[in-house]
Amino acid sequence: MKKEEAEKYILAGQITKTVVSKAKKDIKAGQKLLEIALTIEKNIEGAGEGKAKHAFPVNLSINENAAHFTPGTDCELVLKESDVLKVDIGCHIDGFICDTAFTLNFDNSHAKMIEATELALEEGLKIAADKAELGKIGTVIEKTIKEKGFNPIQNLSGHGLGQFEAHASPSIPNIASGNTKQLEEGNAYAFEPFATDGEGYVREGIQSEIFALEKPVLVRNIHARKMLEVIAEEYQTLPFALRWIEKKLKMPEFQRKVAIRELLRARAIRSFPVLHEQPGKIVTQAEKSFILFDGKATVLC
Ligand code: MN
Ligand code: MN
């Protein structure tokens, strides 16, 4: 990592920090999820003297949903006092990403589970600067969450961050493993423990509101071709929301649906279905990004 790259990571972190503290103040029970998402995204777009861009759509996953939910244009969901809301935010400067998340629960019925993920994240970050082995990070995270009486989600993990790559290798486990690969100087990472009162395993749901470019292939349908052009230009390989495309393309709904279906079939794009625990279970998340640069770990946000 060059010095100017580290500076871009740090700027992305500063912007994210401002957006996060504003979101923590602004989000209230009774608000529509769509309204919450649009406000957060507006605060990211153009921050840092116009340099900040979305690394991915704001994820607002509730209760048993762990990740990958973002409200669509017609989403009528309203946040309740008792909901457990994971707010996952990503911003980038020239492709250098800060990825961060926190959990809100206004009636405090799941405060202990929120505390478990926050503590697990802290314990993980404590050994980050020592270039810990990946398996050891998982061990610390699992132990912390289990001591609080919950299960870590075994098939969700932290990850590396690359330029225009929101999920780069390596995958950083949230459970104990024998992986002796170490964190490396000059790289960026995100740790993101998840805790649950469920079994600790998420499955893909039916709904997908988030997509990303897979490979630019030639498609016959003219609307699909136009959509693919816009995706490649605007979002590169980073995830985008269906509602962003709707706004950008102003294509009638029917054409849009055909185009999306065609792009998925041609494997030009991939979908990120909502990931959920079993119905009635609760999931909490905490996430921070950091760089290992200049011999130390610098937490971005
Ligand atoms: Mn995230
Ligand atoms: Mn992440």
Side-chain angles (χ1 to χ4, degrees):
M1 182 184 302
K2 296 188 205 106
K3 188 160 182 278
E4 57 268 32
E5 292 174 1
E7 283 165 359
K8 285 175 183 175
Y9 273 119
I10 289 165
L11 178 58
Q14 283 163 350
I15 290 163
T16 315
K17 214 176 273 179
T18 310
V19 173
V20 164
S21 56
K22 215 174 155 350
K24 281 181 177 169
K25 248 191 295 166
D26 290 351
I27 298 174
K28 302 264 167 15
Q31 291 170 338
K32 275 185 166 185
L33 288 194
L34 181 61
E35 190 187 310
I36 296 170
L38 294 177
T39 304
I40 293 173
E41 289 176 0
K42 207 173 80 197
N43 290 337
I44 294 173
E45 194 84 64
E49 292 160 9
K51 282 181 279 193
K53 291 210 164 116
H54 301 297
F56 49 80
V58 176
N59 283 215
L60 297 174
S61 311
I62 287 182
N63 302 337
E64 76 262 31
N65 288 338
H68 296 172
F69 179 81
T70 198
T73 324
D74 52 1
C75 178
E76 294 290 337
L77 278 176
V78 171
L79 184 65
K80 297 195 291 285
E81 292 262 334
S82 58
D83 282 337
V84 175
L85 173 70
K86 279 74 65 185
V87 183
D88 199 328
I89 294 175
C91 133
H92 77 83
I93 303 286
D94 293 335
F96 298 100
I97 298 165
C98 177
D99 175 8
T100 194
F102 58 93
T103 302
L104 294 175
N105 168 229
F106 291 107
D107 70 1
N108 285 325
S109 49
H110 297 283
K112 229 181 108 190
M113 204 193 296
I114 293 175
E115 202 193 329
T117 41
E118 285 175 353
L119 208 60
L121 175 60
E122 255 174 62
E123 292 298 318
L125 288 173
K126 270 187 202 165
I127 57 170
D130 303 329
K131 316 216 172 35
E133 290 175 2
L134 303 185
K136 200 173 162 201
I137 298 161
T139 304
V140 163
I141 289 173
E142 176 172 8
K143 186 170 170 273
T144 311
I145 290 174
K146 284 200 165 153
E147 273 171 6
K148 291 280 172 189
F150 303 104
N151 287 319
I153 293 186
Q154 52 180 292
N155 59 336
L156 288 175
S157 54
H159 49 86
L161 291 163
Q163 193 180 11
F164 288 108
E165 227 186 322
H167 276 187
S169 69
S171 178
I172 300 162
N174 286 326
I175 50 165
S177 99
N179 191 337
T180 55
K181 193 176 159 43
Q182 288 178 282
L183 299 178
E184 285 169 30
E185 169 75 13
N187 283 350
Y189 300 95
F191 285 176
E192 55 178 314
F194 291 81
T196 181
D197 52 0
E199 58 176 340
Y201 191 85
V202 288
R203 290 171 174 82
E204 289 189 346
I206 300 159
Q207 195 185 2
S208 293
E209 291 289 341
I210 302 175
F211 298 83
L213 180 70
E214 187 85 355
K215 56 180 190 303
V217 294
L218 208 63
V219 281
R220 231 179 33 191
N221 179 286
I222 183 166
H223 306 296
R225 214 182 305 155
K226 180 145 187 258
M227 188 180 278
L228 193 58
E229 267 172 35
V230 170
I231 291 166
E233 191 183 310
E234 293 283 328
Y235 316 118
Q236 283 95 345
T237 47
L238 293 172
F240 60 89
L242 206 49
R243 64 183 149 77
W244 293 357
I245 284 284
E246 286 173 24
K247 208 173 151 200
K248 202 123 247 162
L249 274 174
K250 299 193 173 64
M251 216 178 248
E253 192 185 350
F254 175 72
Q255 286 176 8
R256 201 173 61 231
K257 281 188 171 158
V258 169
I260 289 276
R261 213 180 306 140
E262 172 103 3
L263 293 180
L264 281 170
R265 194 167 39 208
R267 304 245 167 97
I269 60 170
R270 59 165 294 205
S271 65
F272 294 87
V274 172
L275 298 172
H276 63 89
E277 250 287 347
Q278 288 167 325
K281 299 300 178 186
I282 293 293
V283 177
T284 63
Q285 175 198 19
E287 178 174 26
K288 280 187 175 163
S289 295
F290 63 94
I291 51 172
L292 290 182
F293 184 71
D294 235 358
K296 59 179 192 291
T298 303
V299 175
L300 305 174
C301 176

